[in-house]
Amino acid sequence: MKFIVILLIVALILAPIPYVLIWTQAPQGRALAASDLDFDSILGQAAAEPLPEELVEMRDGTPLRVRHVEAEGKPLLVLLHGSGWYSAQFDTLIRRLEGRAEIVAPDLRGHGANPERRGDVDYVGQLEDDVADLIDFYAEPGQKVVLAGHSSGGGLAVRFAGGAHGDKIDRAVLLAPFLKYDAPTTRPNSGGWAHPLSRRIIAISILNQLGITSQNDKIVIEFSFPEKVLDGPEGDKATTAYTYRMNSSFAPRSDYLADVAALPDFLLVAGENDQAFVAEGYEPLMSDVTDRGSYMIVPGAGHLDLVDRPETAEAISGVLEGL
């Protein structure tokens, strides 16, 4: 009995600690150090003639804005944008791939123009459910499905492959994907782009292990957008911070190599001068758990401009033509 009382006293003493950690680390807003990423490649993305858009309703009734380019009899290519941005990231790539695939590029939940709750989802794993709903909405019977993503979007593609809906895709294309904060492919804070609130992440993770999810709506990571983006014509599309449940949903699970091992045949493309990730580190890391990957490094390409490089479009075309 005395031992039980001692345990209860210890529990009462320790119980507030996660909440103290959460509430003593506040987001910084714009007061973040600059990142090494070159944003010039995305500043003019909305200047070109916009691609066709439509709204697609998800299982919970929430509409997602989707860029959609049809191509009869071709594979379905689903493009997942990186953290903080939206589907306009792929406009140049989509134009280069027109006619080679039916292309779908959503503004992921919590992103883009006027989302219900910017930088947030309802539960961990909701982005995977949304991607599954998009595939179900667009894919015709027998149509091959290629899931592609850049940076965190590539991480989401890896997570999707290792999750409950992984059997919905036939191929994957990973453009400089985020795997995990401590993966050997990740530079410190992704080249200064990501600013995690580490105490909050640790505390909320502990609470989740105890089955307590009430703090999952707290911001746990912020992104270093330069002022020229935030104050520019596309600044209202930027998502500058994520909640715990969004951040967890937009990356592979803790055992990220298990998600990597679940990938179908895939192509990984990275830029030689990637400021956020170590391009040459992907193949030795991932080939240790799967032999289904092909790897390509684009000379001179950085993290953001990789998406628009003609070599990237040509490599993806090769994947599409092989289906």
Side-chain angles (χ1 to χ4, degrees):
M1 183 65 179
K2 183 177 180 180
F3 179 69
I4 294 175
V5 171
I6 292 173
L7 283 179
L8 289 173
I9 293 173
V10 171
L12 289 171
I13 293 172
L14 296 179
I17 291 178
Y19 298 94
V20 171
L21 292 173
I22 293 167
W23 290 106
T24 57
Q25 189 175 33
Q28 298 181 56
R30 288 198 178 193
L32 298 171
S35 78
D36 296 331
L37 275 63
D38 179 7
F39 284 83
D40 290 340
S41 62
I42 70 171
L43 289 175
Q45 284 173 333
E49 183 179 349
L51 291 163
E53 293 184 354
E54 55 203 31
L55 296 177
V56 179
E57 192 171 284
M58 301 293 97
R59 65 187 65 187
D60 67 339
T62 298
L64 293 189
R65 187 175 300 278
V66 179
R67 281 165 159 75
H68 179 217
V69 177
E70 297 187 34
E72 188 174 352
K74 299 294 184 178
L76 176 66
L77 174 64
V78 181
L79 296 170
L80 307 178
H81 61 76
S83 55
W85 208 225
Y86 72 117
S87 59
Q89 176 184 23
F90 295 116
D91 280 4
T92 298
L93 178 62
I94 291 171
R95 289 187 175 93
R96 287 192 167 125
L97 294 175
E98 268 191 276
R100 301 179 186 185
E102 178 182 6
I103 305 173
V104 171
D107 291 351
L108 292 168
R109 186 183 296 257
H111 297 78
N114 303 312
E116 284 188 5
R117 297 192 316 279
R118 186 172 295 282
D120 194 17
V121 292
D122 296 325
Y123 54 88
V124 175
Q126 191 168 31
L127 293 183
E128 291 169 85
D129 288 345
D130 288 346
V131 173
D133 289 350
L134 287 171
I135 293 172
D136 289 344
F137 182 84
Y138 285 107
E140 298 291 338
Q143 186 178 20
K144 297 294 186 181
V145 178
V146 179
L147 183 61
H150 173 252
S151 198
S152 287
L156 176 55
V158 173
R159 181 185 181 94
F160 188 90
H165 309 298
D167 60 353
K168 291 183 180 292
I169 60 174
D170 299 286
R171 296 287 189 278
V173 176
L174 311 174
L175 305 179
F178 172 80
L179 297 178
K180 196 178 179 184
Y181 71 92
D182 60 352
T185 50
T186 305
R187 300 188 191 280
N189 290 339
S190 298
W193 162 245
H195 294 263
L197 282 68
S198 301
R199 295 204 303 271
R200 283 189 166 201
I201 294 172
I202 292 169
I204 299 173
S205 297
I206 291 171
L207 291 174
N208 273 256
Q209 290 173 12
L210 298 173
I212 301 170
T213 59
S214 60
Q215 302 301 304
N216 286 9
D217 62 343
K218 299 297 185 293
I219 290 174
V220 299
I221 193 166
E222 298 176 280
F223 304 115
S224 288
F225 277 101
E227 297 293 328
K228 61 185 177 182
V229 172
L230 295 178
D231 295 333
E234 293 294 284
D236 62 326
K237 311 289 198 320
T239 301
T240 60
Y242 286 168
T243 64
Y244 178 86
R245 54 197 175 200
M246 172 65 87
N247 194 50
S248 299
S249 297
F250 213 165
R253 278 159 275 269
S254 294
D255 185 2
Y256 67 96
L257 288 177
D259 284 347
V260 168
L263 283 163
D265 289 349
F266 66 91
L267 168 69
L268 190 147
V269 184
E272 178 186 29
N273 298 331
D274 194 303
Q275 304 93 340
F277 304 119
V278 181
E280 63 273 18
Y282 285 110
E283 184 170 2
L285 175 67
M286 298 171 69
S287 62
D288 196 44
V289 296
T290 177
D291 60 359
R292 290 189 288 273
S294 298
Y295 303 85
M296 171 181 169
I297 294 179
V298 178
H303 185 66
L304 295 178
D305 69 298
L306 172 72
V307 175
D308 292 341
R309 294 292 289 264
E311 300 98 317
T312 300
E314 184 178 349
I316 296 174
S317 294
V319 172
L320 297 170
E321 291 167 2
L323 293 174

